[in-house]
Every structure is written in structure tokens, then in C-alpha cells.
Amino acid sequence: AQSVSQHNHHVILSEAASLELGCNYSYGGTVNLFWYVQYPGQHLQLLLKYFSGDPLVKGIKGFEAEFIKSKFSFNLRKPSVQWSDTAEYFCAVNANDKIIFGKGTRLHILP
Amino acid sequence: SAVISQKPSRDICQRGTSLTIQCQVDSQVTMMFWYRQQPGQSLTLIATANQGSEATYESGFVIDKFPISRPNLTFSTLTVSNMSPEDSSIYLCSVDRVATEAFFGQGTRLTVV
């Protein structure tokens, strides 16, 4: 069965630091990949998505992610984080017509 | 995009009772999904609800505990039956246009006492 692994459960960074959150998935077929964000007290919203084409995907708020097929990875990056990026981040894969989520990474940015 | 409305937004229920959560979408969709997000956990897919057929449940979830209705292409309900404190969670309705993205309702925060 398909699964999604997020390596970091809790990340603490200072403002302006660079961010990389790891995500690996297991599925042998064609996948669509997503990163979702959940700000405190808010519902899930889409940061970015990959379906095909350029493996480097740019999303909202300066986030980007790179799909590396050989590594089954879809890591999320941001060169310089802000305090407002404090949130929980979920990697997800759409395979077999259903979306499976990773366990999430709680990101805390220190002002 | 899709706008999803869930009711109730939150509830506190006695153990042993049942709660039905409603999900309304502003457009017709083939598949609707129900997720559970337990405190500090990720989203776990409970079941997929297709109109006109029985819901498909994921491992660990059964119809007797989480009966689902899907009477038309814009509406679904999830019932949490015979509740216990372990059922305290956020329940989320989602629609997923294949090859686009998933849209979520605001969730139903359930506390069982």
C-alpha cells in the first residue's frame, strides 16, 4: 500500500533561516504529490503540487519542492523563513484516486 | 475550486451516543472522502464515499462504527456511532478532483466525554 513518510516531526528555526522538510513516498506507479499547510486554528490549504513536467515546483509564499523520482522524494524548501510560517506541514500523495497524508511536521519559527 | 461546508463545527457528546456530521459541496463531485485527524496526528483516511454505491472503508475502519451516506453528488454524512473518548478527534470532509488537488471542509471537532 502507498505511504508517505515525513522525516521531521518538529522543527524549530530562527527567522531568515533556510528550511528543508523531507518527504518520501512509497508507490510504484504515477503519483501526484502535494504539500499542505495548516496554520494554527485554520483548515488545511494547499502550498504546492506536482503532477508532471518540471520537477521543481514553486508554490505560494516562497515555498518550493523538488520531485526526485529515483529517490521517491518530494522535499519542501524555503530559502528564508518568516515567523508567519509557523504551522504544520503535511506531505501527501494522490495514488489510486485517494490522497494519503504523512504524519506532518510542526514548524516553529522563533522571532 | 470547491467550497465545502461541514456541520456541526464542533460538538461535545456523551459516550455511547452517536453523532452525524454533514458535508455539503457547492458543486457536483464524484468522490467524497472522510478523514480523521486525532490530536497531534496526521490525517487518516476513513473511507471514500461514491454516490450510488457503498462507501469503501480503509483498514481499521468499519461501516458499523462509521456509517456513511452519499445520497447525491453534493452531499454526504458520516456518523460516529457508539462513541467513546478515543473517538475525540477532528473529522474532515474532502473532495478530490483527480489530478488537481483536495479541498477540505473546516472540520468537525468532536469531544467525547
Side-chain angles (χ1 to χ4, degrees):
Chain A
Q2 56 267 33
S3 64
V4 179
S5 299
Q6 290 183 239
H7 314 305
N8 316 100
H9 297 300
H10 197 182
V11 173
I12 302 174
L13 294 172
S14 298
E15 274 193 308
S18 65
L19 169 72
E20 181 160 3
L21 301 182
C23 173
N24 286 91
Y25 66 93
S26 65
Y27 183 68
T30 302
V31 293
N32 299 325
L33 297 158
F34 309 84
W35 276 96
Y36 283 84
V37 61
Q38 189 169 28
Y39 297 103
Q42 297 189 25
H43 63 275
L44 279 166
Q45 48 188 286
L46 184 70
L47 262 184
L48 48 78
K49 57 190 177 185
Y50 170 80
F51 298 137
S52 62
D54 189 346
L56 184 61
V57 179
K58 295 193 183 298
I60 61 171
K61 304 186 180 186
F63 286 91
E64 64 179 33
E66 185 175 12
F67 170 53
I68 302 179
K69 189 175 181 179
S70 60
K71 295 184 178 180
F72 296 89
S73 70
F74 190 57
N75 293 352
L76 180 71
R77 300 194 292 248
K78 185 170 183 178
S80 177
V81 294
Q82 302 172 300
W83 178 79
S84 58
D85 293 324
T86 294
E88 190 152 16
Y89 294 80
F90 295 94
C91 181
V93 58
N94 183 335
N96 290 336
D97 293 340
K98 57 189 179 185
I99 294 185
I100 305 298
F101 287 82
K103 291 190 182 297
T105 297
R106 195 175 295 273
L107 176 64
H108 188 71
I109 305 299
L110 302 173
Chain B
S1 66
V3 177
I4 302 170
S5 302
Q6 262 185 256
K7 287 194 291 189
S9 58
R10 57 178 64 228
D11 207 342
I12 300 173
C13 300
Q14 297 289 325
R15 67 176 68 201
T17 63
S18 299
L19 175 72
T20 295
I21 302 168
Q22 299 180 0
C23 179
Q24 179 76 52
V25 189
D26 68 342
S27 57
Q28 294 184 342
V29 292
T30 305
M31 293 189 288
M32 296 176 75
F33 303 85
W34 288 98
Y35 288 86
R36 181 173 72 183
Q37 187 177 21
Q38 292 180 301
Q41 302 289 320
S42 182
L43 285 81
T44 303
L45 182 63
I46 297 172
T48 304
N50 294 328
Q51 193 266 338
S53 63
E54 270 198 15
T56 303
Y57 288 82
E58 298 298 309
S59 176
F61 297 97
V62 295
I63 188 171
D64 290 345
K65 175 67 176 178
F66 296 101
I68 287 173
S69 79
R70 183 79 200 274
N72 57 53
L73 291 173
T74 63
F75 187 78
S76 178
T77 67
L78 170 77
T79 299
V80 186
S81 303
N82 189 25
M83 288 183 283
S84 66
E86 292 72 34
D87 294 320
S88 297
S89 185
I90 297 173
Y91 292 85
L92 292 145
C93 171
S94 170
V95 301
D96 166 24
R97 298 209 172 87
V98 175
T100 56
E101 67 185 84
F103 299 92
F104 289 87
Q106 77 277 22
T108 297
R109 186 180 294 272
L110 171 63
T111 303
V112 183
V113 298

